[in-house]
Amino acid sequence: MCLDRGDFADNKRNPFNTNMSGLTILKNLSRYKQTAIIDSEGEYSYPDLLDASHRVASYLLKDREDLDEAGVSFFVPPGFEYVAVMLGIWRAGGIAVPLSVSHPDPELEYVVKDSGAELLLAAPQFNDRLGKLAEKTGTDFSTVEEAVQCKKISLPLVSEDRRAMIIYTSGTTSTPKGVVSTHASIRAQIASLVKAWEWTSGDFILNVLPLHHLHGIINALFCALWSGASCELMPGFDAGRVWGKFTDGSYTLFMAVPTIYSRLIRVWQNAPPEKREEMSGACGRMRLMVSGSAALPVSTLEKWKEISGHVLLERYGMTETGMALSNPLHGERMPGHVCKPLPGVEVKLIDENETVIRGAGEGEIIIKGPNVFFEYWRKPDATKEAFINGEWFRTGDIARRNKDGVYRIMGRSSVDIIKSGGYKVSALEVEEVLREHPQIEECAVVGVEDEEWGERVCAALVLGGKKKINLASLRKWSKERMASYKVPSAILFVDELPHNQMGKVVKPEVAALFNSQ
């Protein structure tokens, strides 16, 4: 059942409310006195964060007792004020709608309009840009400077059943959908990762991930705050600066997408031997390094292990579910696999008839648990269609599970599973093989419509070696490593592949390159 906004408009009248004790994350934050956030301006303690977020909440409320799930969009770069604003919105009873500082105005306008945000908050350097956007969308506009200096007032009691955040999916085939999380689902996502990856107050993480996606918000930032750990927020990514941070800092964790690890590897390779030793030693002092949000090439994993001593922990999740599957913190990590369900998460596979697959097999991943999102914002039909029996979320991702219950992602059912000549081909599996070629630095495999084959297996290639390759030589090389029906029938050389901000290749854009030939 998809409830409308009014069903959760007031926790005091919400018949579904079972927890009137307030937000667990705030209780956790109030336990700590040490450093919470580090940014380019300095260090801030947990009491600093609670004080600033209280002031932001007071500013947002003005003459109201409760925001009653009013949306608040904010345009703030990674740093202390970002966290204060996010928490302030939650403490005032609002829904946080983080905007990406790197997105163009049309995309920002779409999110502000679709979310129905009542207010736009912007950091000082973005006041002109966001002021114009607010005027164009008819949204009230305020500055973060005003908010963090507001006099504190009494705040409402906010139930964890309330809507808390809207994160917009990438929208590769249509307009993005707003994924709504409640405070309870956010709490479940954090608690699962804290338990699985053994976060403690002694941890220190460098967060270079964008803060309009779950990876940066939940996995790195709020897992740290929940645990009393310290989080250093770095706006943007620069591989050289990150290596400098590693060698100068005392971090215990690092999380990134495969593209980031590839760029870090290139900087390491170009460094002199004595510097390489220092860089590798800095990684060796960390207890955990994680890769996610896109498929990690085995070649990247192996090179990073050689450099850092770490076998990157691969995990699987979505905006709609948070993290669902993970390699173990302790024990063997399997390259190319995402292993088993995280604590509190139920995972099954179904076939094309929605029949549950028992034991080993291949099918679509479905997920159930308190971590799963509440709804697609203002899209009740899409929400209903996304679930089986109203409780199992259909991910659209295809996985293969072995007899030991270990999962391996094969790709998106609509993007990465290519149906060619009666065969089903996993684009990710083909890409993994192609990356082993000494001349191929990066690749993307897509299915392109074909009258004879249904779809042709096509590969866009970024070359890194000095020797040239052609289709005939690549096909000969590939047939020695995989079945002939999986071998690309067409290739295209590109300087770079189209990526979104999380490092994922935008497959429809790759397919368009072939269609335009």
Side-chain angles (χ1 to χ4, degrees):
M1 180 175 65
C2 177
L3 306 177
D4 66 26
R5 181 170 173 173
D7 290 309
F8 277 72
D10 189 334
N11 67 291
K12 294 180 281 295
R13 295 191 298 271
N14 176 11
F16 303 98
N17 175 35
T18 58
N19 177 14
M20 291 296 292
S21 60
L23 305 181
T24 306
I25 192 166
L26 292 174
K27 294 179 181 179
N28 278 16
L29 264 62
S30 65
R31 295 163 50 196
Y32 308 119
K33 305 298 181 185
Q34 61 267 32
T35 298
I37 299 295
I38 300 172
D39 64 16
S40 58
E41 300 297 320
E43 298 186 9
Y44 305 86
S45 69
Y46 280 87
D48 291 334
L49 190 54
L50 286 172
D51 179 73
S53 63
H54 193 154
R55 294 179 187 278
V56 171
S58 301
Y59 180 82
L60 295 174
L61 288 167
K62 292 185 169 63
D63 298 326
R64 300 164 67 171
E65 292 184 1
D66 192 323
L67 286 188
D68 286 332
E69 293 189 336
V72 180
S73 291
F74 60 104
F75 200 72
V76 183
F80 174 74
E81 288 185 343
Y82 173 98
V83 189
V85 169
M86 176 76 87
L87 289 172
I89 295 168
W90 289 349
R91 297 183 74 176
I95 302 175
V97 187
L99 301 173
S100 170
V101 296
S102 65
H103 281 183
D105 288 351
E107 292 189 16
L108 299 179
E109 182 180 344
Y110 171 82
V111 170
V112 173
K113 284 183 175 179
D114 187 75
S115 67
E118 294 185 8
L119 178 68
L120 265 171
L121 273 178
Q125 62 268 43
F126 303 120
N127 285 353
D128 289 343
R129 183 181 176 192
L130 265 290
K132 293 175 183 176
L133 179 63
E135 184 177 351
K136 190 173 183 179
T137 57
T139 311
D140 288 340
F141 173 72
S142 295
T143 67
V144 174
E145 283 180 312
E146 293 177 272
V148 296
Q149 294 172 8
C150 182
K151 181 180 178 181
K152 291 188 288 187
I153 62 173
S154 178
L155 302 180
L157 187 63
V158 179
S159 165
E160 292 203 331
D161 291 317
R162 295 263 203 110
R163 294 172 176 86
M165 182 168 64
I166 303 177
I167 298 292
Y168 279 79
T169 56
S170 56
T172 56
T173 58
S174 62
T175 55
K177 294 193 291 285
V179 177
V180 179
S181 299
T182 63
H183 293 285
S185 62
I186 290 171
R187 170 172 50 81
Q189 292 170 17
I190 295 170
S192 178
L193 291 181
V194 167
K195 180 178 181 180
W197 296 344
E198 297 181 5
W199 281 85
T200 73
S201 59
D203 278 318
F204 183 18
I205 187 168
L206 176 65
N207 189 355
V208 300
L209 296 163
L211 294 181
H212 63 287
H213 283 285
L214 239 61
H215 195 172
I217 297 172
I218 300 298
N219 299 19
L221 174 59
F222 279 105
C223 278
L225 296 179
W226 179 278
S227 308
S230 298
C231 179
E232 182 169 354
L233 293 167
M234 182 176 169
F237 171 76
D238 178 274
R241 284 187 62 208
V242 169
W243 274 120
K245 293 281 188 181
F246 282 177
T247 56
D248 294 340
S250 54
Y251 308 106
T252 61
L253 297 96
F254 184 69
M255 300 179 186
V257 300
T259 304
I260 285 178
Y261 285 110
S262 295
R263 292 175 182 174
L264 290 172
I265 288 170
R266 284 201 291 271
V267 171
W268 184 91
Q269 290 173 327
N270 292 327
E274 64 276 10
K275 186 63 177 177
R276 287 185 182 182
E277 185 176 351
E278 182 185 7
M279 295 157 82
S280 296
C283 293
R285 293 192 293 270
M286 297 189 205
R287 71 172 184 86
L288 176 62
M289 306 188 94
V290 180
S291 178
S293 294
L296 176 68
V298 174
S299 58
T300 302
L301 181 144
E302 291 174 345
K303 187 61 182 179
W304 190 254
K305 180 182 178 182
E306 176 188 328
I307 289 171
S308 69
H310 284 268
V311 177
L312 290 170
L313 186 151
E314 297 175 71
R315 85 302 179 280
Y316 163 82
M318 298 180 69
T319 305
E320 289 90 341
T321 65
M323 299 306 105
L325 295 157
S326 174
N327 272 270
L329 177 64
H330 305 294
E332 182 184 3
R333 297 175 191 167
M334 300 178 66
H337 295 71
V338 289
C339 283
K340 297 185 177 183
L342 283 158
V345 182
E346 295 182 62
V347 178
K348 292 183 179 181
L349 294 180
I350 57 172
D351 62 19
E352 292 179 348
N353 298 315
E354 296 188 0
T355 301
V356 174
I357 297 169
R358 309 292 180 183
E362 183 174 314
E364 181 184 353
I365 298 172
I366 60 173
I367 296 174
K368 176 184 175 183
N371 53 298
V372 176
F373 79 121
F374 180 63
E375 66 183 351
Y376 289 120
W377 181 248
R378 293 177 173 172
K379 288 180 170 55
D381 290 342
T383 302
K384 184 177 180 180
E385 291 170 5
F387 288 86
I388 297 175
N389 297 329
E391 57 180 358
W392 286 91
F393 173 68
R394 299 194 62 157
T395 66
D397 286 327
I398 304 300
R400 184 179 295 159
R401 184 177 58 212
N402 68 16
K403 61 182 178 61
D404 297 318
V406 172
Y407 289 79
R408 179 181 183 182
I409 305 299
M410 305 307 293
R412 293 289 294 171
S413 57
S414 59
V415 179
D416 290 317
I417 301 301
I418 302 168
K419 296 180 180 179
S420 181
Y423 292 100
K424 285 186 178 179
V425 179
S426 166
L428 301 190
E429 189 175 15
V430 178
E431 288 167 359
E432 192 170 298
V433 173
L434 293 180
R435 290 190 190 100
E436 296 175 3
H437 194 287
Q439 267 70 56
I440 296 176
E441 185 172 289
E442 192 176 9
C443 64
V445 173
V446 295
V448 177
E449 288 188 19
D450 183 86
E451 288 186 7
E452 181 179 357
W453 296 94
E455 288 182 303
R456 290 183 298 136
V457 180
C458 301
L461 309 174
V462 178
L463 300 184
K466 294 181 180 179
K467 294 182 180 179
K468 297 295 182 182
I469 59 175
N470 55 35
L471 179 60
S473 65
L474 179 65
R475 284 180 59 82
K476 180 181 178 182
W477 179 90
S478 298
K479 286 179 179 179
E480 296 173 357
R481 292 162 174 82
M482 55 184 158
S484 60
Y485 66 86
K486 299 178 182 179
V487 174
S489 62
I491 60 175
L492 187 65
F493 300 112
V494 295
D495 292 331
E496 61 181 3
L497 296 172
H499 292 90
N500 65 18
Q501 197 167 10
M502 289 304 294
K504 292 183 181 180
V505 175
V506 184
K507 290 292 183 78
E509 292 186 19
V510 175
L513 294 175
F514 285 95
N515 289 325
S516 65
Q517 295 298 301

